[in-house]
Amino acid sequence: MTATLIDGKAFAQKVRSDVARDVKSLRDNHGVHPGLAVVIVGEDAASQVYVRNKVRQTAEVGMQSFHFEMDASTDQKTLISKVKELNADPRVNGILVQLPLPDHIDEAAVIETINPAKDVDGFHVVNSGKLATGGGGMVPCTPLGCLMMLQDNLGDMSGLRAVVVGRSNIVGKPMAQLLLDANCTVTIAHSRTKDLPAEVAAADIVVAAVGRPEMVKGEWIKPGATVVDVGINRIPAPEKGEGKTRLVGDVEFAAAAERARAITPVPGGVGPMTIACLLKNTVTATLSQNNIDPASL
């Protein structure tokens, strides 16, 4: 069996087109212009690239984009003051503080300062609690993107067995909750799970988010399963020349693709959906803050 590739780039483009349509409707029909504020502290190269993409795509869908770069030496008090300023700014509907932060800043304290209604990353404990109890709230962008691709590919997932490999607050735990909400039977596995191959082999859906290159072996995949690979790892690629590298996921892609029904590639799978869902969450936040019925868009 050769798996169908789940094209995250194409799916993300559709999401962004829907967001652009909703932003135009909000402006034209409701007099509301959604705004997203992104704050970055320091000069982490990967974060800088990611933030530039966020800022560019925010503008492309017609939203207001507010971008704040702060020096790596910025203290926690100053950063929290900036977040509070954005909380109070009516032009700002969504706030994202780019992680990781410098070591001298308490990430949890900063995240908890964000108004939960503007927490478009979905990391605030209020939003985490709402997700865990089925009460609604902002959903972390990467798990939301994974869920949307799975639903598009599989339709009704009721009764399917799903394994999430990874237990982070950013991906693993919220992903498991979303799958539970979709009526899957869910197992959370991780690097210390006993007999991880057996857990993966029993699953109709595998979501790998453990942060270890090609940890999930292709031979573990149940024939006909759907695989979503959240991992993005850079490893040496001597075949390309001295000092060269290549990107791989947390799943052994080539071998898994021989067994799976469908699989996301790395790159080009989950990654593009993260920013698209950030923009989608900003529209959701704007609607909620202005008491606008989504059906009116």
Side-chain angles (χ1 to χ4, degrees), residues 262-283:
I263 189 170
T264 59
V266 176
V270 174
M273 285 296 292
T274 299
I275 298 179
C277 288
L278 173 69
L279 302 175
K280 178 180 174 63
N281 275 353
T282 304
V283 168

Side-chain angles (χ1 to χ4, degrees), residues 148-160:
M148 292 172 68
M149 289 192 292
L150 283 168
Q151 289 175 326
D152 181 71
N153 193 266
L154 293 170
D156 183 9
M157 297 188 292
S158 295
L160 295 182

